[in-house]
Each structure stands twice: as C-alpha cells, then as structure tokens.
Amino acid sequence: MLPTSIVTTQRRARSPQRHEHSALGSATEVEFTPWIADPDTGTTPSLVVKQILDYVLAALFVLFTVPLFLVIAIAIKIASPGPVFFIQKRVGKDGRMFPFYKFRTMKVNSDDAVHREFSREFICGTEQNGNGNGNGHGHGNNRNAKETRSTHSNGNAKVYKLTRDPRVTAVGQILRRTSLDELPQLFNVLRGEMSLVGPRPPVVYELEHYQDWHKQRLVARPGITGLWQVSGRSSVPFDEMVLLDLYYIEHRSTLMDLRIMAKTLPVMLLGSGGY
C-alpha cells in the first residue's frame, strides 16, 4: 500500500499556475494547481546527478543499440510501407508539448478513435460492456472497436490495455511486447524533454478527462520508464498509476532511479504487461 502522504499532498495547495507553450506549430494550455513542490526547481545534488545520469546513460544506450536500431528499422519497412518512426505530440513537464518519438508499430493512416475512447474509459474508470476499461498507444477504427476495446482478464488480473488491435503489424506486436518501440525516446532524453525515469507523458486529448489531482503528475519531467512500468504495467488502473507517479515524484532519488532501471530490463525481456 502506498503511503498516505500522496493523498495529503492535496491539502498543500498553492496558487493556480497557468502554462502555455507553443510547439509543433500549435499551442496548448494546461492549468492546474501544483500540490507537489516542483522537483526540477533548483540545483539540488540529486537533481544534478539525475541530469548527468540521463545524458550519460542515454548517450551510451544510443551508442550500443545502433545495430538494434538498424535491424528494427529494416523490419518495420519490410512489415508495412511507411516511415520508421512515429512522432506524436505529448504533454511534458508543466504542460509543455513536445515531439514524442517511437518506432512505428501500426499501419499508416490508422484512425485514433478507438484509442480516444479507450483513454476516456481508462481515465474516467467507466466500464465497457462489463469488461472493464483499457488503455494503450495504438489506434483503430469504429469497425474494429468491439474487438479492440474489450479488455480481458489475464489470470485474475484485468488488462488495462488495447489488445488484439488489427492495426498493429506483426513486427509492431513484438516491439510493443518488449517495449523496444520506446527506444527512440532516448533522443527525447538527450534533447532534455524527457528523463530515463519518470511519469509517462500523456497524449494531448487524454488531459480532457483528467481530474485536477491527476495533473500533478505533470510537475516532473516525463520518463521512458517509471514506477508504474515495474509495478504492474497494464494491470494497474489509472488512479493507481497516478498514485505511483506521485509517490515517485515525492520520494525519488538516484538510488530509486537505478532500482527502477534495473527492474525495467526483466520486464522488457519477459514482455510482462506488454501488448
């Protein structure tokens, strides 16, 4: 069980802040009251170490995975026509938008209507036909909505993820299950838009369904991996995912980051919770 300090952060409200940032040719605005002190403010020793680790480790990971990048790029091109990379607007620290990089796992020109509906159900906690709710990074269309939007049970645990999506290529399924589609986000880390460890950055339209306390996960720089990924991944409902993010933001340290990174590799190799 998570410490109650996460819940009591709601009592430490400060004046509402308004963040507006123009990126990729359009502007977005996120308004929220930061109940949690901004962990990236100042130059504390732990923050300096975290930034150094981010740049050094990201550069090393890119250097050593160049052959893997090439193999994945060739496989994607063989699987379906289209670009190797998928670039999407995501919301980062303080509500600022940035170009988010992934390896493309779906056929080009796929509709995002199904994922929008999944996001609404997942965040709001509503259930679809008694099957629970789901979330994922894929897209589909209304014709396939019934197939892709039905979540299922894996043993005794519900899966909060888009599954069996016909828009995903065969190579894309492997990349998603192993999280190798996330590798290009190392460049987001080198650009200073993301960290190796932190909350996952939401898609812009997901914020429409956020409650105010959900937005507290935006006070920290988003990460490639995080406490949520190594604590259940797709078996964790949205509110619990946010609580894990808030717990990380309030208690993060260099040692915690190293532990999360160490736990990430087995999750990737085993494909735990990946769809």
Side-chain angles (χ1 to χ4, degrees):
M1 181 177 295
L2 295 176
T4 56
S5 61
I6 295 179
V7 178
T8 57
T9 54
Q10 300 184 23
R11 300 173 185 171
R12 301 200 301 271
R14 293 184 289 174
S15 301
Q17 291 186 357
R18 206 174 181 90
H19 304 285
E20 186 170 356
H21 179 74
S22 180
L24 305 178
S26 62
T28 185
E29 184 179 278
V30 177
E31 184 177 351
F32 64 98
T33 302
W35 296 318
I36 300 174
D38 187 342
D40 285 352
T41 297
T43 55
T44 61
S46 61
L47 176 59
V48 172
V49 172
K50 181 177 179 65
Q51 291 174 334
I52 292 174
L53 280 177
D54 278 344
Y55 289 117
V56 172
L57 292 181
L60 289 174
F61 288 152
V62 170
L63 180 63
F64 287 113
T65 57
V66 167
L68 184 58
F69 268 77
L70 293 175
V71 171
I72 292 174
I74 293 172
I76 290 173
K77 296 298 287 186
I78 292 175
S80 68
V84 169
F85 297 106
F86 172 71
I87 304 175
Q88 184 182 48
K89 296 178 184 178
R90 291 290 181 101
V91 182
K93 184 181 181 307
D94 293 336
R96 295 182 176 90
M97 288 168 51
F98 67 95
F100 176 84
Y101 303 119
K102 295 183 70 174
F103 280 121
R104 181 174 60 85
T105 60
M106 304 194 71
K107 300 173 184 177
V108 295
N109 299 322
S110 296
D111 187 12
D112 66 356
V114 171
H115 183 252
R116 285 176 178 267
E117 180 62 16
F118 250 87
S119 297
R120 183 189 66 78
E121 294 173 356
F122 178 49
I123 295 169
C124 298
T126 57
E127 294 196 321
Q128 177 70 23
N129 298 327
N131 292 320
N133 43 42
N135 186 30
H137 301 293
H139 308 293
N141 55 36
N142 292 331
R143 178 173 59 85
N144 297 300
K146 193 169 185 179
E147 177 183 2
T148 60
R149 281 165 49 185
S150 61
T151 57
H152 62 279
S153 295
N154 183 7
N156 295 321
K158 282 185 178 179
V159 176
Y160 298 89
K161 200 82 170 178
L162 278 169
T163 59
R164 301 182 301 277
D165 191 337
R167 299 300 132 212
V168 180
T169 65
V171 170
Q173 291 176 353
I174 297 173
L175 295 178
R176 287 185 174 204
R177 189 161 188 84
T178 58
S179 295
L180 289 175
D181 59 325
E182 313 284 356
L183 279 178
Q185 288 155 44
L186 291 170
F187 296 108
N188 287 120
V189 175
L190 294 175
R191 287 162 54 99
E193 298 156 338
M194 294 181 63
S195 176
L196 290 175
V197 181
R200 290 296 290 167
V203 184
V204 177
Y205 56 73
E206 292 177 341
L207 293 180
E208 300 172 4
H209 311 296
Y210 271 33
Q211 298 178 37
D212 284 343
W213 74 275
H214 293 155
K215 297 176 184 176
Q216 302 313 305
R217 62 195 303 271
L218 300 178
V219 303
R221 191 173 301 178
I224 296 179
T225 187
L227 194 56
W228 164 68
Q229 283 89 338
V230 299
S231 301
R233 206 172 174 184
S234 58
S235 63
V236 178
F238 182 75
D239 282 358
E240 290 185 22
M241 182 195 78
V242 176
L243 288 176
L244 287 169
D245 286 340
L246 299 188
Y247 179 82
Y248 169 76
I249 291 170
E250 284 200 326
H251 300 87
R252 77 177 184 175
S253 64
T254 301
L255 182 59
M256 180 182 284
D257 281 1
L258 292 174
R259 285 176 174 172
I260 290 174
M261 283 188 275
K263 290 181 178 180
T264 299
L265 185 58
V267 171
M268 291 176 60
L269 294 176
L270 297 174
S272 304
Y275 293 93

